[in-house]
Amino acid sequence: MKKELMILPIVASVFFASCSQDVPVIVEGPTKTIPLPTSTTMVYLSGRGGLGWQVFLTHNYLESFRLTGGLFDTQADWSPDKKWIVFVRGLPGGAFQVWKMRYDGEGKQALTPVDRDCEGPHFSPDGRKIAFNFLTGARYDIFVMDSDGKNWEQLSDSVRIPFWKNATFAMFDWSPDGQSIVFTFYRFDADRPRSSVGILNLGTGEFRHVEKLDPVEPYQLRWSPVSNEFVFVGSGARIYRSNTDGTAIVELAGLYSYEPDWSFDGKEIAYTHLDSLAGFRTVWTMARDGTNKIQRIALPDHHNSAPVW
């Protein structure tokens, strides 16, 4: 069943592979029905320079629908059934608030209060919980809440993580079975703060530091939906893949590559690439082994980033 939009504008664009000499064309037209999402429907962020970001949706890379109109809407994530999207809205004064909307941009609602600085929301695999970061004093801690914003629970604490008071936590993802969360942490008591990876088992409370990943200083990790593998950004702004125990590290994409995300079947990876000459970010896809890189979204005069399948 399709739903008619009432106020959302459509931006229809034609995109070409990186080897094409054609110039992408943007056609702005009237409001249009957004097709029901499929496993390959993607949300991403787009914005002009420093003038803010909004959440966009594309189902075929040929046309994109703008779903939000805030000055700074970022960090979007799908619910497992692709009926809902969570995102972060920047507020006047610099605070960040978690919001939720339907796939077509309707039904927007704030999930966290305006006086609580919250970021990085991610749905659990069953869609019942949302993990997010909450700024507590000088650091970010990991919390979970119900998908309606109720029943907050702090996951990062001294009971679960021995060095909790000396670290800040960010950039996390769920395991496919929903039993664990992987996250990046930064130690305040280290000689030089650098990113490391931890895995927290939510059932047993066991914490594991994936020390073999420390040399590449990983961040922006995503857990494969079908295997015990991570894809992440490491030192030099390059994208890597590894096993979840930190072994078999493989570089997939070179300099100025960010924000990777797995396809539903684990066969492809979407990511952001910054063209260092033109100065604009574009969305690409590649096979899980780093081959078959294709530029997918390159709206002219826009930064396009943070793809999520």
Side-chain angles (χ1 to χ4, degrees):
M1 177 179 179
K2 295 183 178 180
K3 186 175 182 64
E4 290 294 330
L5 293 181
M6 299 302 294
I7 58 173
L8 296 179
I10 173 180
V11 179
S13 250
V14 180
F15 308 108
F16 300 92
S18 57
C19 60
S20 173
Q21 298 303 309
D22 296 311
V23 178
V25 177
I26 297 179
V27 180
E28 296 196 52
T31 299
K32 183 181 176 182
T33 301
I34 294 182
L36 287 170
T38 68
S39 58
T40 58
T41 303
M42 178 185 289
V43 292
Y44 67 96
L45 306 179
S46 188
R48 290 180 180 271
L51 300 180
W53 294 91
Q54 287 83 42
V55 180
F56 280 66
L57 176 149
T58 182
H59 62 284
N60 58 6
Y61 309 125
L62 299 178
E63 58 182 2
S64 292
F65 301 85
R66 181 164 62 86
L67 302 182
T68 67
L71 293 177
F72 197 74
D73 295 330
T74 65
Q75 301 179 19
D77 187 54
W78 284 108
S79 65
D81 59 9
K82 288 206 166 181
K83 292 181 179 179
W84 295 92
I85 297 169
V86 287
F87 65 98
V88 171
R89 171 154 289 179
L91 304 176
F96 295 93
Q97 188 178 24
V98 176
W99 283 61
K100 178 181 174 182
M101 63 182 170
R102 290 200 295 268
Y103 76 89
D104 57 7
E106 295 291 326
K108 291 184 178 68
Q109 55 184 293
L111 298 182
T112 60
V114 295
D115 60 345
R116 312 295 293 271
D117 203 349
C118 302
E119 297 187 45
H122 282 286
F123 275 102
S124 62
D126 63 8
R128 298 173 61 186
K129 298 285 186 179
I130 296 171
F132 63 101
N133 277 131
F134 174 47
L135 184 61
T136 56
R139 69 155 176 267
Y140 282 98
D141 277 305
I142 303 172
F143 280 69
V144 293
M145 61 182 169
D146 294 343
S147 60
D148 60 1
K150 299 177 181 178
N151 299 319
W152 289 27
E153 178 189 357
Q154 183 173 340
L155 298 184
S156 54
D157 55 40
S158 58
V159 174
R160 296 178 173 94
I161 302 173
F163 55 83
W164 167 70
K165 292 185 177 180
N166 297 313
T168 188
F169 308 89
M171 300 178 184
F172 47 84
D173 196 18
W174 297 81
S175 62
D177 61 7
Q179 297 301 306
S180 298
I181 283 184
V182 60
F183 55 89
T184 298
F185 64 89
Y186 296 80
R187 294 283 294 267
F188 295 146
D189 57 356
D191 294 336
R192 179 176 73 85
R194 63 184 68 193
S195 59
S196 297
V197 171
I199 299 177
L200 183 65
N201 185 301
L202 303 183
T204 65
E206 177 190 5
F207 165 77
R208 177 162 59 91
H209 173 194
V210 188
E211 296 184 63
K212 290 182 179 179
L213 291 180
D214 282 358
V216 293
E217 300 188 44
Y219 60 102
Q220 294 180 347
L221 278 87
R222 299 293 275 176
W223 200 314
S224 167
V226 297
S227 65
N228 287 321
E229 291 182 305
F230 296 143
V231 63
F232 58 91
V233 180
S235 52
R238 302 169 188 270
I239 294 177
Y240 298 85
R241 191 190 73 238
S242 77
N243 295 330
T244 54
D245 63 2
T247 60
I249 300 173
V250 179
E251 182 179 324
L252 301 179
L255 204 60
Y256 306 124
S257 300
Y258 311 88
E259 301 168 325
D261 187 59
W262 296 95
S263 61
F264 76 102
D265 57 6
K267 293 182 179 180
E268 293 185 277
I269 296 167
Y271 65 102
T272 301
H273 179 69
L274 173 64
D275 186 323
S276 59
L277 296 178
F280 282 93
R281 301 180 186 185
T282 55
V283 172
W284 293 62
T285 61
M286 61 181 166
R288 66 175 298 278
D289 62 359
T291 61
N292 197 31
K293 293 180 174 68
I294 302 173
Q295 186 185 78
R296 297 293 192 180
I297 301 174
L299 296 175
D301 300 321
H302 283 69
H303 288 289
N304 308 280
S305 68
V308 180
W309 260 315

